[in-house]
Amino acid sequence: MKRTRKKTMSKTIVNVVLAFICLIWLIPTVGLLVSSFRPAVDILQTGWWTVFPHRDYVAQSTITLPKETDLRQPIEVNGEVFDDDQLRSGVTALDGSRLIWENRRARTIQVQQPDWKVNSNFTLDNYNGVLTGKTFEIMQSDGTVRAQKGEGLSKAFLNTLVVTIPSTIIPILIATFAAYAFAWLRFPLRRSMFVAVIMMLVVPLQVALIPILKDYTALGLNGSYLGIWIAHTGFGLPLTIYFMYTFISQLPKDLFESAFMDGASNFTIFTRLILPLSVPAIASIGIFQFLWVWNDYLVSLVFIGSQPDVQVMSMRIAAMVGSRGSDWHLLTAAAFVSMLMPLTVFFALQKYFVRGLLGGSVKG
Amino acid sequence: MLASTPKTSKSRNVAVTLAVVLVNAILHSGIYLFLRDTNLPSVLYALLAIIWGVLGVYSIYWSFNWAVEQYPDIWKRRIQPFIFVGPAALLLGWLLLIPTLRTLYMSLMDAGTEKFVGLSNYAAIFTNRLLLTALRNNLIWVAFGATACICLGLLIAVLADRSSFEKLAKGIIFMPMAISFVAAGVIWKFIYFYKPGDEQIGLLNAIVVAFGGEPQAFTSMLQPWNNLFLVAILIWMQTGFAMVLFSAALKGVPEDMLEAARIDGAGEIRIFRSIIIPAISGTILSVSTTIVVFTLKIFDVVMVMTGGQYDTEVVATQFYRQFFMYRNAGYGSTLAIVLLIAVIPVIIINLRQFRKQGGF
């Protein structure tokens, strides 16, 4: 009896602690998602968490001062005297209400009372803004309107797809061929070649960038899709070969022998037997390679450089962080657009993703 | 069966097989040139490029294999493995092996890679203040980032194993793995956002202000602590990786062993220390290896968050800057080699592990 109660107690503690950790892990992404739907002017003035009910000052009425009020002199409002600085940051009047400039130029003051409040302005404008290249207008906090050119991210989205799909399929195809040879064919240097593959698993790719860039410049491959496919293929191969090898080498030997007896060639065995049998392994390593290429920044930065037609999303967003540092309405929407694909893949294929992780790192 | 055919047919065979391989090559380079110079609508272009890329690779294998099958069995058996493994070997040689050697060579040359300067680049790296900062920061990343990922990952795996919502919790912790570092950079830049005054839109400063503190510019002012605020991003993203692997390893610890220890009166912490930890030590090693290598190469986070300013430079960003901005190929290469040297112990551990698992 005592023991069960103790057990329930500890289970509750475990659940509470874990829920707390999960909350911390979720908050950054939730904040981004909420912000990406808020109007520009709201984002810059209030935190995204104000979309939840909270106590705040809520506008009650507006006092219009005479047009000729001198802001450098003390300002009289309802029999009390304040100065401009106080009204800028908000000041509490004797009756408990808060006074703050509503429009300083038009000399209007807002009277606020504390109350429950929800900031529930949501908009799709931010997504329109980043996806299209059109010019659109945004309201600013002082009531003026500013024209702003969009980002045209949809082109970059397409580029990222063109870079990512072949960069996922090609290395897996090449690696599966190689893994089959390593696992089931006999040829000279087989062992040392495979050891080299294992060693390359951890070689930092920075080591390879400069010489490859020189070759690419000589071959005219810089800034082309082909060049970036080749680069991603090369960098993805060690892990993919290793992963496919561990899978293919564990397939039953009789399978091949009977096929051989029937006169099938290696190529036939490969396309008719190995590829179909490897689908689960290909799926899990494929998700990995896909996410890796989709999320890559360094390789694109080096091999695509400043070619605007071919730029992928990670480059565009990184550039936006530099050039539009506090346009949070655009940054958050752009970041979420870039996360859309990986998150979809992640939630749809989570099972395979995890299996890929387990196969690659803790075999045996 | 072809071995008995007369000599003339043999030479015709060679001609035909060469022709097939050549036609294939010409066809694909032709399509490549067409795609490169054409001006199609982008969706159509994208589609064609993808089809060309993927089918092209397959048809290269197919044509070579077809060619070799026209020859006698003895040759076929000798050459075929190289057709299977050849493209992979060529690509790895071109893109990883030879570049490593070339970078090693370039690290002994001056900025324009014209004059041989011996080890002076290495000497410069260990005396230049900027580069030393980069090395120190990499150390901070590994010491705090990797350690935290591993410890937190283990803790969460243990907690999730005993909780009532294991799947959901693991999904939440694991999710950041799917987000790019660039997007994560935006997310966290917003959290760390700083503006003077009481009304904060960045979460962290809002919390600081709510507790009566002064808002801080976390990533740009508080040196050298700002590095730790960047490391937090790595922890957020990589803990899920460690957790998944630890969680799988924990499931492999035999239940009856734990039960026996409990009956003997061992506390949970004691069980954790003397049974669970030894049982999953292999996983701990391989997870640590992967995360340490990953952390050494860290680039995107620093680039997006601070661009390496305010003393947050790491080796990988310095490498990029030296090579692409200061046009100093010598320093750039040397930094890349320093990274390589740093992972050599990891390579050795990897190989030893591979041999232990039976390898070949």
Side-chain angles (χ1 to χ4, degrees), chain A residues 119-136:
Chain A
N119 284 350
S120 55
N121 289 339
F122 293 109
T123 172
L124 283 175
D125 285 356
N126 304 337
Y127 285 91
N128 265 332
V130 288
L131 286 176
T132 62
K134 279 186 298 202
T135 303
F136 58 105

Side-chain angles (χ1 to χ4, degrees), chain A residues 11 14-15 17-19 21-22 25-29 32 35 43-49 155 158 161-162 165-166 169-170 173-174 177-178 180-182 185-188 190-191 193-195 197-200 202-216 219 221 224-226 229-230 233-235 237-238 241-242 245 265-267 270-271 295 297-298 301-302 314 317-318 321 328 331 335 338-339 342-343 346-347 350 353-354 357-358 361-363, chain B residues 32 42-43 45-46 49-50 52-54 57-58 61-62 65 69 76 80-82 84-85 87-89 91-92 94-97 99-100 102-103 106 113 152 155-156 159-160 162-165 169 171-180 182-183 186-191 193 195 199-203 206 235-236 239 241 244-245 248 262 283 286 290 293 297 299-300 303-304 316 319-320 323-324 329 332-333 336-337 339-340 343 346-347 350-351 354 357 359-360:
Chain A
K11 184 138 192 168
V14 163
N15 282 341
V17 172
L18 189 64
I21 295 176
C22 287
W25 243 253
L26 261 184
I27 284 176
T29 323
L32 181 86
S35 300
I43 294 187
L44 286 178
Q45 281 178 345
T46 52
W48 58 266
W49 49 91
K155 169 76 176 141
L158 198 68
L161 266 183
V162 180
I165 293 174
I169 299 175
I170 294 173
L173 190 63
I174 294 178
F177 270 108
Y180 174 66
F182 280 127
L185 304 179
R186 294 289 166 266
F187 55 94
R190 186 177 73 111
R191 205 191 140 82
M193 275 163 92
F194 197 72
V195 168
V197 171
I198 303 278
M199 278 167 62
M200 285 179 210
V202 285
V203 168
L205 61 86
Q206 276 89 354
V207 171
L209 293 180
I210 298 172
I212 297 177
L213 193 67
K214 284 189 171 169
D215 289 351
Y216 273 18
L219 292 169
L221 279 176
S224 75
Y225 288 130
L226 183 64
W229 293 344
I230 294 176
T233 302
F235 299 142
L237 268 181
I241 293 179
Y242 179 60
Y245 170 83
S265 71
N266 276 319
F267 200 74
F270 182 80
T271 48
N295 289 336
Y297 175 52
L298 179 60
L301 192 61
V302 172
S314 56
I317 294 170
V321 172
W328 288 110
L331 280 174
S338 84
M339 287 158 55
L343 285 184
F346 171 75
F347 283 114
Q350 196 177 0
F353 190 30
V354 170
L357 262 185
L358 300 179
S361 308
V362 283
K363 204 75 213 171
Chain B
Y32 169 66
S42 52
V43 176
Y45 181 86
I50 290 172
W52 169 78
V54 175
V57 172
Y58 185 80
Y61 279 100
W62 181 87
N65 185 70
E69 292 205 338
K76 202 172 98 183
Q80 210 167 29
F82 290 103
F84 277 60
V85 89
L91 277 175
L92 284 178
W94 176 29
L95 298 171
L96 281 173
L97 193 65
T100 307
R102 281 166 72 184
T103 302
M106 274 198 297
T113 60
L152 260 176
L155 173 74
I156 296 172
L159 287 179
R162 289 139 195 247
S163 73
S164 0
F165 50 100
I172 289 172
I173 307 287
F174 193 45
M175 185 192 66
M177 276 273 298
I179 299 173
S180 73
V182 175
V186 174
I187 294 179
W188 284 85
K189 236 181 141 92
F190 198 41
I191 289 182
F193 190 70
K195 62 177 186 182
E199 190 69 54
Q200 293 293 327
I201 60 170
L203 181 63
I235 298 171
W236 181 67
T239 297
F241 169 81
V244 166
L245 298 181
R262 279 194 194 109
T283 309
S286 61
T290 319
V293 171
K297 296 189 282 192
F299 170 80
D300 317 25
M303 210 62 184
V304 175
F319 156 84
Y320 182 80
F323 187 71
F324 291 96
S333 312
I337 295 297
L339 269 185
L340 181 66
V343 297
V346 179
I347 295 180
N350 248 318
L351 280 178
F354 175 67
Q357 282 168 22
F360 268 151

